[in-house]
Each structure stands twice: as structure tokens, then as C-alpha cells.
Amino acid sequence: MYTALVCALLMAGSRAGDAAAWKKRAVYQLLTDRFAKSNGDTSGCNLSNYCGGDFEGVRKNLQYIKDLGFDAIWISPVVDNLDGGYHGYWARNWNQINSHFGNSDSLKQLVETAHSMDIWVMVDVVANHVAPIGNDFGQISPYNSGDHYHSNCDINDWNNQWQVENCRLSGLPDLKQENGWVRQQLKDWIKNLVQTYNFDGIRIDTIPEVPKDFWSEFGQSAGVFQMGECFNGNPAYVGDYQNHVTGLFNYPMYYTIKDTFQSQKSMRGISSRYVEEQGKFKDVDALGLFVDNHDNSRFLNGRNDQRLFKSALAFSLTGKGIPFMYYGSEQGFAGGNDPNNREPIWSNFNKDHDIFKFVQRIMSARKTYNMPSSAFAEKWADDDFYAFTRGNVVVALTNKPDNGVNRNVPNLGINNGMTLCNIFNQGDCQTVQNNNINVQLNNGEVKIYAPRSSADDMAEIAME
Ligand SMILES: *[C@@H]1O[C@H](CO)[C@@H](O)[C@H](O)[C@H]1NC(C)=O
């Protein structure tokens, strides 16, 4: 009985799907239609329509994601969509699976295989709107009547919160969550979806477009971690939503990452952004840290410098928050605005790509040194240099790749005399003295110093 109790407690402590557990994961975002086709076809396609990726294609290629070092995926919305809804945001029949992606069985198998490989699955969901059907509500199931929707107006003033919550986003009919029947349907639907497919978390679309009290109830019905999308750079605006959903994408930091690594503004910006967020969010560690996603032109499109991109990626994979990396980043994809940033990746599963290997090395160190379990602690910020620790690991970044940067990183809180070696070059070691180390960054390189000679790292180096 004692053993059973301990087991129950252990399981409760690490239950799949809660915020504490998600903070230790790293998420690879893919678009189901663009990742892999189960028939192995790798031809190109019209990016504005279905390209043929499916659940079974994702399932067959999970090892690529695992090899890269991620232990969670975020997949596109899974419900039946109006024609052309390759992205999944045009729901038609909420109780059917999108037949372009597969069926109920292939979706279950995807989640099952992922779990067997210790990869969690976060499903994208929409509760704000349905497909662009004008006022022909009969096309939608089960929201088939005008009284399930707000009256027809367009959002044209994003500072008017009433409009944002009650009018149409890009002409998409806006569900009326204050209608008791609609509300209950949405809550029953999410509960059923999560339980039927055994999802570990949900990514929620269009958070500001629905009142906060709805999200509190919706999240409770889901019963798993929620990562909300509030596409806004103001921490004061975004922050309060974390009182209603467990996690949010760190959009304010997304803009700071662009300012810092694309526009090369002072790296102190990262520091002040985190300070600001500390007061505005309930839990900054539960925010999603990202460089790219499907709604924004890719980093390399705005600034075609892989040194800066790698520095930004390194920050997003080790900084304070949950890493979310958009598929194709590891292959140097550089697509512009939607749909050009939604390239198929099926002909580019290249594990020798320089960025693939860079990300893989960081993810391996993240695991070896248990970085998510050690608090993020900023150690130095100036115009050209930013450094922080996670336990005994020191991450050093610059956004001025054309200059050599040399700094002492102080107040490490790591034992004097301990030798730390750069995970990208085991010959590059520093010994902690007077609680600091000296860091020299050449040609925009990233350095991550970690305690020497972890057996795992040495074995990996031997393999290369
Ligand atoms: C691509 O698909 C879109 C949407 O279906 C269509 O409007 C467009 O004509 C297509 N482009 C080409 C070159 O076929």
C-alpha cells in the first residue's frame, strides 16, 4: 500500500500535461500539411492550398524531430475545414477529423507513437471563429444558426476591445460564447478532443478575441496545459491573460528578439523586457519563447545572417521560458509572409545542415545539464553582449557578429576552480576564478560553457 501511495504521488508530481512538466519540454512547431506525406512524395506545391502532408507522414518522421532534440510537437488544428483550409483555422464540422490529414485512427496512432518515443503532442485549437462562410451558417456543424454568432461587423480598430471580442477577424464568423449552449458545446468539445486523442496540451488561437472568463472555463474543461496566442507586444495587455490560461507565447519578447538580433539594438533590451514582464505575468517561465512561427515572416527573410539567427535561436532554446522552434529553422528556411513562411520540409530532412547540428548540440546540452530545472539568472547585459546561467551552465551571446567581443562574466555563483568547456568546442575551456570567467566571442559565435567531461557529451563528440 505504501508503494502504491508513493507511485501515485510520483505520478501526480510528473503528470503529463501540467505546467510544471511542460516547462521541462521543448516544442517543435510543425504544420501538418507541410511536414511529411505518408506516401513519401516530395514534390513541390502551391503554398496557398493543401500540399499533402498528413498525420501518418508526421508519425513516420518523428525520429527526425527526436534526433534534433525536441520532446514535444505542436500540430495544426485537426477538425474538418472548409475547402482550402490547409492551415486548419477554417473549422467546418467540429466533430470530424480533417480528411486531408487522415482520420481518427491515424491521429490516435500519431499520438500513441509520439508517446512511445517520449514526445508530447500539443494540438492547436480555435474557439473564436469558424470557416469563412459569410452568413451561410448551415454549412457549419454544430454551430449552424445565426444566434450562435455575434452580429456581422469587422474588427478594424485593434484598440477597441469590444470590437476585438465581438466582431469578425478577417471576415470569419465570430462565435457567441455568451450563448449558454455555444459555451457548453465548446467546453464539451475540448474535453472530448483531449481525452479521445490523449493530447498533452493545447495551443489556443486568437486569445484576445474572446472574453477572459470563457478561457478560464475552457482551460478547465481541457484539463491540460494551455499555450495561448495573444499576438501583441505589450506585456501589460498580454500579461493579464495568464490569469485565465496557463501559458502564453511571449510575443513581447518576440519583438525584443527581432530588435536585438535583426536590428542589432542594445542587448540590454532583453534584460529590461524580462524585468518588465516579471511584474506583468504570473509565471514568465511558462511563456513560450520563439524566434519564428507560421504567422510571421521568417527571421532569415528579414535579415539573412545565419550568425544572428543562430544567436537568436540559442537564446530561445536556453532563455527563461519554454522553447518553441518553428519547423524549417534547423534547415535555414527563409520564407517571407504567409504563405511563403509555410514551406514544405519533406525534401529537406538534412541532419548535416549547420543549423540542424547547432540546434542539436544545444538541445543535447539542455538535457545533459538539466538546464530547465535550473533557474535562469542573468549575469551581464550591455549593448553588444548578453550572458546568463542556468545552474552551472553559462550562455554567452552577441548581436555584433562583425566585432570580436571579450568580456568577464561576473557573479557566476559557480564554484571557483571548476572548469567549464564550450559545448561547441571541447578544447575551449575556462576555469572559474573569483566567481567569474572570461568569454571571447569571434565572428558572432555562440558559446555555452558547461562542466567538463559529461560522459554523454564526450560520447557524442566521438561519434562525429
Ligand atoms: C494556388 O492556390 C490558390 C488557392 O486555391 C489559387 O487561388 C491560385 O490560383 C493557385 N495558384 C496557382 C499558380 O495555381
Side-chain angles (χ1 to χ4, degrees):
M1 182 182 155
Y2 177 72
T3 310
L5 181 64
V6 169
C7 278
L9 286 172
L10 282 174
M11 282 165 71
S14 62
R15 191 175 69 84
D18 70 8
W22 272 97
K23 287 179 191 171
K24 301 198 171 144
R25 297 265 153 176
V27 186
Y28 183 88
Q29 178 197 356
L30 61 86
L31 300 188
T32 306
D33 184 58
R34 303 292 152 91
F35 190 68
K37 303 192 224 185
S38 50
N39 64 11
D41 174 32
T42 57
S43 50
C45 62
N46 178 346
L47 294 182
S48 297
N49 214 322
Y50 283 99
C51 285
D54 53 17
F55 299 135
E56 183 60 9
V58 176
R59 195 181 73 81
K60 285 178 171 169
N61 287 281
L62 286 170
Q63 192 62 45
Y64 169 83
I65 297 168
K66 180 107 181 155
D67 288 346
L68 184 55
F70 287 81
D71 49 17
I73 55 173
W74 152 16
I75 62 172
S76 303
V78 297
V79 301
D80 172 65
N81 265 229
L82 189 70
D83 291 351
Y86 72 89
H87 40 67
Y89 298 108
W90 291 352
R92 183 172 53 192
N93 186 334
W94 291 59
N95 294 310
Q96 264 176 28
I97 294 299
N98 187 331
S99 60
H100 292 270
F101 297 161
N103 56 34
S104 181
D105 285 340
S106 56
L107 178 53
K108 279 181 192 158
Q109 279 159 18
L110 166 58
V111 178
E112 241 173 63
T113 303
H115 285 169
S116 75
M117 298 168 72
D118 192 29
I119 294 172
W120 285 1
V121 183
M122 175 176 278
V123 66
D124 203 335
V125 297
V126 184
N128 174 60
H129 57 259
V130 302
I133 42 81
N135 294 320
D136 186 10
F137 304 116
Q139 289 194 51
I140 307 295
S141 174
Y143 310 106
N144 58 3
S145 146
D147 50 287
H148 300 149
Y149 298 87
H150 293 127
S151 54
N152 190 349
C153 51
D154 290 320
I155 304 175
N156 46 41
D157 175 5
W158 287 92
N159 292 316
N160 180 336
Q161 188 61 29
W162 185 90
Q163 264 194 20
V164 170
E165 292 179 5
N166 292 280
C167 294
R168 294 182 175 190
L169 165 72
S170 314
L172 302 167
D174 201 67
L175 285 165
K176 191 175 187 173
Q177 290 83 6
E178 64 272 28
N179 171 316
W181 183 83
V182 170
R183 197 181 191 87
Q184 193 59 47
Q185 282 288 314
L186 288 167
K187 285 159 59 178
D188 290 348
W189 170 78
I190 192 64
K191 184 173 182 182
N192 185 46
L193 184 80
V194 168
Q195 290 184 355
T196 301
Y197 297 99
N198 205 8
F199 290 121
D200 306 282
I202 59 175
R203 179 267 184 190
I204 309 178
D205 194 54
T206 50
I207 286 288
E209 280 88 336
V210 182
K212 290 167 181 166
D213 60 323
F214 173 77
W215 292 128
S216 299
E217 294 175 27
F218 188 74
Q220 280 212 329
S221 296
V224 290
F225 184 65
Q226 311 112 46
M227 180 55 64
E229 177 222 18
C230 183
F231 197 151
N232 189 298
N234 178 1
Y237 183 79
V238 183
D240 189 48
Y241 282 98
Q242 205 180 17
N243 296 313
H244 304 274
V245 294
T246 48
L248 290 156
F249 289 99
N250 197 336
Y251 254 108
M253 187 60 88
Y254 164 77
Y255 292 107
T256 303
I257 289 173
K258 281 175 72 116
D259 284 348
T260 305
F261 296 102
Q262 275 192 336
S263 309
Q264 296 177 285
K265 291 186 184 163
S266 172
M267 297 195 82
R268 286 192 185 90
I270 298 174
S271 182
S272 45
R273 180 63 88 192
Y274 271 141
V275 169
E276 186 187 14
E277 292 188 341
Q278 214 57 53
K280 301 280 191 287
F281 288 89
K282 209 161 129 181
D283 184 2
V284 178
D285 284 293
L287 303 182
L289 205 52
F290 65 100
V291 177
D292 281 320
N293 66 23
H294 60 313
D295 289 325
N296 295 283
S297 160
R298 289 183 185 264
F299 182 103
L300 287 171
N301 189 269
R303 184 78 196 256
N304 190 16
D305 186 325
Q306 295 205 350
R307 300 170 302 177
L308 287 166
F309 183 49
K310 282 159 80 173
S311 299
L313 281 179
F315 173 67
S316 73
L317 298 172
T318 57
K320 191 175 178 66
I322 302 172
F324 277 75
M325 197 182 81
Y326 188 43
Y327 83 100
S329 298
E330 74 281 12
Q331 301 293 343
F333 281 11
N337 285 323
D338 163 15
N340 295 325
N341 55 355
R342 301 174 176 185
E343 311 92 322
I345 192 173
W346 42 68
S347 44
N348 292 80
F349 288 131
N350 174 11
K351 295 187 190 172
D352 290 323
H353 193 288
D354 176 59
I355 302 178
F356 184 101
K357 292 202 289 194
F358 175 79
V359 169
Q360 187 181 43
R361 174 48 50 91
I362 293 174
M363 298 311 287
S364 161
R366 195 180 145 82
K367 201 156 264 157
T368 302
Y369 301 105
N370 210 3
M371 290 170 68
S373 298
S374 305
F376 170 95
E378 180 179 295
K379 296 300 172 183
W380 192 261
D382 63 36
D383 284 349
D384 312 329
F385 183 80
Y386 189 75
F388 54 93
T389 58
R390 300 207 71 148
N392 287 338
V393 178
V394 184
V395 179
L397 306 166
T398 181
N399 64 347
K400 305 296 179 328
D402 295 332
N403 311 339
V405 180
N406 188 301
R407 297 285 190 280
N408 281 318
V409 184
N411 304 316
L412 289 176
I414 300 175
N415 289 343
N416 286 327
M418 185 179 271
T419 298
L420 306 177
C421 299
N422 179 6
I423 64 165
F424 302 106
N425 173 8
Q426 287 285 311
D428 171 9
C429 301
Q430 299 286 330
T431 300
V432 179
Q433 282 174 333
N434 303 318
N435 211 12
N436 76 73
I437 58 169
N438 180 261
V439 176
Q440 167 79 36
L441 302 179
N442 297 316
N443 197 29
E445 70 189 317
V446 171
K447 285 190 179 177
I448 299 179
Y449 284 105
R452 198 222 291 266
S453 77
S454 144
D456 287 351
D457 262 27
M458 298 314 279
E460 270 187 24
I461 286 155
M463 274 166 57
E464 280 180 0

